[in-house]
Amino acid sequence: MQVHDVKARVSGNQVIIDVSVTLQSGLNGKENIHAIEKVKELMKQRHNSLMTLVETKPPVR
């Protein structure tokens, strides 16, 4: 996974994070979903984020 951009904003006392990533080519749908969920989990643990929005970009060939 390659991270392209990370933006954060505050809503009240909560953090909302936008992450743009490229996932590895060759992953199936279930693996892609697992990777996205892992990003969301890490952001919640490390930054106490209320919500993490993950934008995926297709791999460059």
Side-chain angles (χ1 to χ4, degrees), residues 16-49:
I16 300 171
I17 301 173
D18 297 305
V19 181
S20 178
V21 299
T22 298
L23 299 173
Q24 291 177 294
S25 60
L27 295 180
N28 64 38
K30 193 173 189 177
E31 293 168 323
N32 283 335
I33 291 169
H34 177 73
I36 292 166
E37 291 302 319
K38 187 65 175 175
V39 169
K40 291 179 179 184
E41 180 184 320
L42 287 170
M43 293 297 107
K44 185 170 182 102
Q45 289 173 359
R46 293 183 183 176
H47 304 290
N48 193 30
S49 64

Side-chain angles (χ1 to χ4, degrees), residues 2-21:
Q2 181 179 5
V3 177
H4 293 282
D5 192 26
V6 177
K7 295 178 184 172
R9 58 189 181 276
V10 177
S11 177
N13 64 348
Q14 298 291 319
V15 178
I16 300 171
I17 301 173
D18 297 305
V19 181
S20 178
V21 299

